[in-house]
């Protein structure tokens, strides 16, 4: 699966990775609409009102975890094809994706990760939007090394005011 799509390594703080991955079995793998319904049915009612953490593992399988989970824990510490937050709602009597983005400062996936995410959702058979509903652009500052979110097409580091590269630069 990963040969078709770019994979992303964890680029966040090493101490977070070490802390959350230890003993983590990763997020819940979701391979079917039935598994999704069972997992969502087991969540607290209040948690269903918020997005969940997701990753798409290298095998193309969607993994879910509660929103306050770190993406690196959801991924079991490994590389991913996509990562972000995902919200579900009921449409026509079935669970559907009602919001999804690539917001993960641990993996900083490109908006171009959508095809891998869409493929994982298609395999499950869940209704979804045609693209990310929330799109984030990440860059690493070449001067201070911080991870930055580009807002309003302004490629300037918020920490040191250096110009950020136009191309994704985490590898």
């Amino acid at each position: 699966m990963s040969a078709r799509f770019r994979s992303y390594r964890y680029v966040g703080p090493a101490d977070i990775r070490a802390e959350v991955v230890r003993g983590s079995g990763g997020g819940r793998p979701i391979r079917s609409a039935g598994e999704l319904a069972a997992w969502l049915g087991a969540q607290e009612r209040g948690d269903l009102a918020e997005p969940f953490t997701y990753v798409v593992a290298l095998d193309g399988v969607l993994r879910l975890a509660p929103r306050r989970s770190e993406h690196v824990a959801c991924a079991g510490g490994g590389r991913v094809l996509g990562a972000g937050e995902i919200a579900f709602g009921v449409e026509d009597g079935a669970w559907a994706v009602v919001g999804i983005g690539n917001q993960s400062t641990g993996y900083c996936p490109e908006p171009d990760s959508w095809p891998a995410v869409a493929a994982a959702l298609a395999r499950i058979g869940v209704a979804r939007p045609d693209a990310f509903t929330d799109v984030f652009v990440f860059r690493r500052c070449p001067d201070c090394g911080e991870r930055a979110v580009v807002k309003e097409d302004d490629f300037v580091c918020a920490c040191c005011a250096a110009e950020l590269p136009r191309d994704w630069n985490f590898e």
Side-chain angles (χ1 to χ4, degrees), residues 9-140:
R9 68 180 173 82
Y10 178 72
V11 296
D15 58 330
I16 289 178
R17 182 175 198 249
E19 180 181 326
V20 300
V21 172
R22 191 181 3 216
S24 169
R28 166 73 176 187
I30 305 294
R31 294 181 178 88
S32 69
E35 285 184 0
L36 175 64
W39 190 81
L40 290 171
Q43 302 308 302
E44 296 290 325
R45 185 173 188 79
D47 290 341
L48 293 172
E50 295 185 346
F52 294 97
T53 294
Y54 82 86
V55 298
V56 176
L58 292 182
D59 60 4
V61 173
L62 179 74
R63 292 175 142 326
L64 297 174
R67 182 180 196 183
R68 287 158 192 80
S69 302
E70 293 289 339
H71 288 95
V72 68
C74 188
R79 293 179 76 91
V80 300
L81 302 177
E85 293 185 344
I86 187 169
F88 296 95
V90 176
E91 293 181 358
D92 298 326
W95 288 106
V97 177
V98 296
I100 186 166
N102 64 318
Q103 183 178 6
S104 168
T105 57
Y107 284 97
C108 299
E110 293 180 277
D112 290 346
S113 63
W114 173 251
V117 176
L121 294 170
R123 273 191 298 287
I124 295 167
V126 62
R128 59 168 175 78
D130 292 331
F132 285 129
T133 55
D134 298 301
V135 178
F136 293 83
V137 174
F138 301 97
R139 296 293 184 267
R140 182 174 300 283

